[in-house]
Amino acid sequence: ELAKDLHGPDVVKVRLDTTKGPLILRLVPHWSPNGCKRLLQMVDDGFFKDIAIYRGIENFLLQFGVVEDPKRAGGYEKIMDDPLCGVPYLEGMVGFAAAGPNTRTQQLCLFLGSAPSLGKNSVETPIGRVAECSLGTLRKIQLMGDIPQCGGSGPDPQKLANLGNAYIAENFPKCDFITGASRVP
């Protein structure tokens, strides 16, 4: 069923360019209509320019979407949660980060392994998956560790929001970035 969904007629492909190479995402709108619509809006708006992949936890996730630019940082209102669709979080799944119900805005997560504890409430609805051909690139992205707010020693998203990429360059020079995004025909 999952493979059928990922290759269905409603799938929308997006290319995220990273400092390690391109990632092709296969978005499945019927899994998460609101989430897919938001990601496509962000792509069309040109949001994904020099976005630090500031959080990377081995066998769990990568997270990105924090920006210093006030126009980009405040440009997206919270979106409503999508109904649960029973899709598990496996390696390569794509979803929005959330701080509770109806709080998704512009931060995305790419999963580096299965996360069976996720997908059980509406803030955890996947929007798609990284294409098989891009999993090698996904695995090459530098893992910066968890954020200090969760006990890690990786970049602090609050400092990133306040100080921008200069904070990353000075303190985390090995951090990878999303450098651009586009729809793929």
Side-chain angles (χ1 to χ4, degrees):
E1 189 69 28
L2 192 65
K4 186 178 173 183
D5 283 354
L6 288 163
H7 295 280
D10 66 333
V11 166
V12 180
K13 292 191 282 185
V14 167
R15 175 183 166 130
L16 291 181
D17 293 309
T18 77
T19 46
K20 288 290 196 289
L23 294 172
I24 303 299
L25 310 182
R26 301 180 72 82
L27 306 182
V28 184
H30 72 265
W31 288 356
S32 176
N34 295 331
C36 286
K37 182 179 177 183
R38 171 55 55 84
L39 178 57
L40 292 172
Q41 177 188 10
M42 293 167 68
V43 169
D44 293 344
D45 289 350
F47 177 84
F48 294 104
K49 291 181 185 143
D50 299 319
I51 305 289
I53 305 171
Y54 69 88
R55 188 179 190 193
I57 304 167
E58 189 173 4
N59 297 316
F60 185 44
L61 63 71
L62 299 171
Q63 188 170 341
F64 55 93
V66 173
V67 292
E68 176 191 20
D69 176 9
K71 286 183 182 175
R72 286 196 295 167
Y76 299 99
E77 301 213 359
K78 296 174 184 172
I79 58 173
M80 297 295 293
D81 293 342
D82 289 296
L84 284 175
C85 58
V87 175
Y89 271 89
L90 305 171
E91 181 184 31
M93 288 307 219
V94 180
F96 275 90
N102 303 309
T103 61
R104 298 178 296 166
T105 55
Q106 66 202 36
Q107 289 194 52
L108 288 161
C109 297
L110 305 178
F111 285 79
L112 302 172
S114 294
S117 64
L118 297 179
K120 294 178 173 49
N121 69 59
S122 60
V123 302
E124 300 166 349
T125 305
I127 64 172
R129 192 172 191 183
V130 174
E132 283 285 325
C133 63
S134 294
L135 290 177
T137 301
L138 179 69
R139 294 178 190 125
K140 291 179 188 174
I141 293 174
Q142 183 70 38
L143 301 179
M144 300 312 301
D146 207 348
I147 59 175
Q149 292 84 343
C150 292
S153 58
D156 182 330
Q158 293 171 342
K159 288 183 180 178
L160 176 56
N162 292 332
L163 304 172
N165 289 338
Y167 161 72
I168 296 293
E170 184 177 324
N171 297 284
F172 301 95
K174 293 183 179 179
C175 186
D176 283 307
F177 285 80
I178 304 292
T179 58
S182 59
R183 292 185 189 228
V184 177

